[in-house]
Amino acid sequence: MKINSPRGTADLYGEDIDYRNFVIDTARRVFKVFNYKEIITPAFEYTWVFSRSIGEVTDIVQKEMYTFQDKKGRSLTLRPEGTASIARAVIENKMLFENLPLKVFYIGNMFRYERPQKGRMREFWQLGVESIGTDDPLIDAEVIWILNSFFEKLGFKKLVLKINSIGCSECREKFLFEFRKYLKPEVGKLCADCQKRFGKNALRIFDCKKSGCRSVLKKAPSIFSYLCPGCRKNFEEVLKYLEALDINYRIDQSLVRGFDYYTRTIFEIISEDLKSAQNALGGGGRYDNLLKQLGGPDLPATGFAVGIDRTIMLMKQLNLKIKKNEEKARIYLIAMDKNCKLYSLDILRYLREEKFLCDINFNKRSLKKEIKWAGENDYDFILIIGEDEIKNGSITIKDIKKYRQYQVNWENEKEKIKKIIGA
Ligand code: HAM
């Protein structure tokens, strides 16, 4: 039997874990300075949470959800995204009565039954923020500011922020009327999926990547031209804040995004270095009606999510390095036999309590090979404990980076040891 994980899933280990921790640590630091607090919600919800939020006729709800019945026949779904769950959680836990906006962030695995390809998985990881309780355009700008700072801190330089406004339900109603009128004589040229969308969810046609549909859309009216004065003004204010923050953006009037909950400002951050259709690293927008739609208070909100896996993929492609946060030296202790291991425990305990990354040899390699291995594996110091060291109560310390060697007494020269290894 071939041993493999389910299609579209991956094991993460080694270098990927280093990247992942760096990405998550960076996000946490950025979220903290903007005063966002962490929230953890379950990996599955009652199915209605997603169908009612994301929209019954979206691709995600129609084709991509992992839905199953539990033993009592209740319909449950593995979360395909975080926003709907957060909305459910803040309503249920009555988190919306204190100081608004409520600012939360989350990190979690998401599940979508999509065709796996480079940058597109069935289980993938997102980190995101949601800000609930104000429609002040400054919060739209703040959320984009966070996204921008996060990618800057990871070392990205050439990302593109695409932004659009899809207005409120009134703007959308007027636009859809005209859009359907335009599409009617062209329906036959659309793909089968878009023909279905034409009846139920025409806005989604803008999401289609098929060339036939794209050429039909070339002369289509854009929702942007149908914005009501309120939505237009709101959008202009968001852009003004972005300019004041020196955040580059590109207005893309064909940007719609695949969720029904969006209103007004929506955005996506893409990389032109990712030469595939999966070039969006993150996306988000305002969702002013979702809370009410789920039975909660009538409060506006906005947020974004970033794909962690895709971000790591691009970091590797662009050779962006992880900045190590460890300030303390990395130490490898080589104990020559069992007796030496026993003697070394005290030393290991001391160094680990002092918060050094400290490991001991478990392989049956010669001393020469152990030293070579430690040098190749990014250690700063090697500590050698052999029979002589036990006899003298000493430690041999090799500074690999500076090619120096010291002999120190373990019991009486702790300060000297600390000085050598840079405590
Ligand atoms: P989304 O655009 O569907 O938005 O997902 C955000 C990011 O998750 C994408 O830009 C992409 O990097 C990553 N992603 C999505 N699907 C996959 C996949 N199959 N494999 C790998 N990565 C993927 C949302 O999920 C919204 N909830 C964002 C939001 C928050 N809007 C308001 N608040």
Side-chain angles (χ1 to χ4, degrees):
M1 195 178 71
K2 200 174 161 212
I3 297 177
N4 53 348
S5 74
R7 195 163 131 76
T9 66
D11 302 307
L12 294 173
Y13 55 90
E15 184 194 57
D16 280 337
I17 292 290
D18 294 338
Y19 271 97
R20 191 187 137 80
N21 288 342
F22 176 63
V23 167
I24 290 176
D25 288 350
T26 305
R28 282 184 190 282
R29 271 200 297 275
V30 175
F31 297 159
K32 193 172 169 196
V33 299
F34 283 86
N35 199 21
Y36 282 68
K37 304 266 162 46
E38 186 158 11
I39 179 166
I40 300 177
T41 61
F44 58 88
E45 296 275 350
Y46 290 119
T47 301
W48 64 263
V49 172
F50 302 116
S51 50
R52 219 187 274 175
S53 310
I54 298 170
E56 290 284 358
V57 287
T58 54
D59 280 358
I60 293 184
V61 171
Q62 295 256 306
K63 303 185 205 161
E64 296 170 6
M65 295 208 307
Y66 280 91
T67 297
F68 55 97
Q69 289 199 341
D70 70 4
K71 290 193 194 309
K72 291 232 165 110
R74 290 170 288 223
S75 181
L76 300 172
T77 294
L78 297 184
R79 60 181 172 196
E81 59 109 43
T83 312
S85 305
I86 305 278
R88 194 269 310 139
V90 298
I91 297 169
E92 182 174 336
N93 297 295
K94 301 191 172 45
M95 292 162 71
L96 292 163
F97 298 104
E98 290 166 21
N99 188 41
L100 294 179
L102 175 78
K103 294 172 165 194
V104 290
F105 78 85
Y106 54 95
I107 297 160
N109 48 349
M110 309 290 157
F111 308 85
R112 294 184 194 172
Y113 191 80
E114 293 188 88
R115 199 162 52 79
Q117 59 185 78
K118 203 169 175 234
R120 194 206 271 157
M121 304 289 288
R122 288 183 172 165
E123 182 188 23
F124 58 98
W125 287 80
Q126 280 189 345
L127 51 88
V129 307
E130 310 293 348
S131 173
I132 304 173
T134 176
D135 62 0
D136 188 325
L138 179 58
I139 203 82
D140 298 70
E142 179 179 276
V143 157
I144 294 171
W145 185 4
I146 299 172
L147 188 63
N148 207 55
S149 307
F150 164 70
F151 282 113
E152 262 178 21
K153 296 256 169 350
L154 292 182
F156 287 98
K157 298 225 159 57
K158 286 191 318 193
L159 298 181
V160 178
L161 176 79
K162 294 198 296 185
I163 190 165
N164 193 21
S165 174
I166 53 167
C168 58
S169 40
E170 275 164 40
C171 318
R172 207 148 342 140
E173 207 172 301
K174 278 190 204 135
F175 163 73
L176 283 173
F177 180 77
E178 291 303 321
F179 185 45
R180 285 212 180 84
K181 215 157 76 182
Y182 164 84
L183 280 180
K184 211 162 182 193
E186 312 277 338
V187 172
K189 296 182 194 156
L190 298 173
C191 71
D193 276 346
C194 285
Q195 292 195 12
K196 277 189 220 141
R197 289 174 185 140
F198 173 74
K200 293 185 194 155
N201 201 344
L203 206 58
R204 282 290 86 69
I205 297 174
F206 282 101
D207 268 343
C208 189
K209 303 273 182 307
K210 302 217 172 77
S211 59
C213 302
R214 295 234 68 91
S215 61
V216 169
L217 289 177
K218 265 188 194 144
K219 292 201 175 120
S222 81
I223 184 149
F224 199 73
S225 337
Y226 288 82
L227 294 184
C228 66
C231 288
R232 189 168 288 274
K233 185 162 175 285
N234 183 284
F235 190 56
E236 282 164 3
E237 282 178 30
V238 175
L239 300 185
K240 224 184 277 167
Y241 282 123
L242 294 182
E243 278 153 27
L245 289 163
D246 290 322
I247 296 174
N248 285 322
Y249 60 82
R250 193 189 285 173
I251 295 176
D252 178 348
Q253 296 188 6
S254 66
L255 181 68
V256 290
R257 302 205 19 90
F259 302 86
D260 278 359
Y261 52 60
Y262 285 125
T263 51
R264 292 191 160 179
T265 303
I266 54 168
F267 50 89
E268 228 162 57
I269 195 143
I270 63 155
S271 161
E272 285 167 349
D273 286 307
L274 277 176
K275 300 265 178 273
S276 72
Q278 318 307 321
N279 66 357
L281 292 169
R286 183 160 276 293
Y287 50 96
D288 289 345
N289 305 325
L290 178 59
L291 275 286
K292 190 163 175 230
Q293 224 163 291
L294 285 179
D298 188 4
L299 286 173
T302 182
F304 72 74
V306 165
I308 298 179
D309 315 76
R310 238 178 248 184
T311 303
I312 294 175
M313 194 173 94
L314 185 62
M315 284 181 76
K316 286 184 176 171
Q317 189 178 311
L318 298 177
N319 215 9
L320 297 183
K321 293 278 179 261
I322 302 171
K323 291 178 206 96
K324 289 222 173 84
N325 295 322
E326 279 163 31
E327 282 149 24
K328 295 222 166 188
R330 291 163 54 91
I331 298 166
Y332 189 58
L333 191 152
I334 306 171
M336 301 306 291
D337 60 25
K338 270 193 187 151
N339 209 16
C340 298
K341 283 191 175 161
L342 211 54
Y343 174 85
S344 301
L345 290 184
D346 230 14
I347 304 170
L348 279 179
R349 183 168 47 203
Y350 171 74
L351 292 172
R352 285 174 176 160
E353 273 170 12
E354 290 287 322
K355 300 203 173 55
F356 287 98
L357 183 156
C358 202
D359 208 353
I360 183 166
N361 60 314
F362 288 98
N363 289 291
K364 291 192 172 64
R365 282 187 288 233
S366 66
L367 179 61
K368 200 170 152 201
K369 281 195 177 149
E370 285 289 6
I371 293 174
K372 184 164 179 269
W373 180 87
E376 288 164 356
N377 282 275
D378 212 18
Y379 284 95
D380 301 299
F381 293 92
I382 296 173
L383 271 45
I384 302 171
I385 307 295
E387 265 178 42
D388 285 349
E389 280 78 8
I390 297 184
K391 219 185 291 160
N392 312 330
S394 67
I395 310 176
T396 301
I397 304 178
K398 272 180 178 296
D399 182 335
I400 317 184
K401 304 268 155 79
K402 294 189 187 140
Y403 304 102
R404 293 175 78 166
Q405 184 160 317
Y406 308 85
Q407 201 72 34
V408 287
N409 185 281
W410 163 232
E411 287 300 339
N412 310 326
E413 294 189 306
K414 294 225 171 58
E415 282 311 309
K416 189 170 171 192
I417 297 173
K418 274 195 189 174
K419 214 167 160 193
I420 295 169
I421 57 180

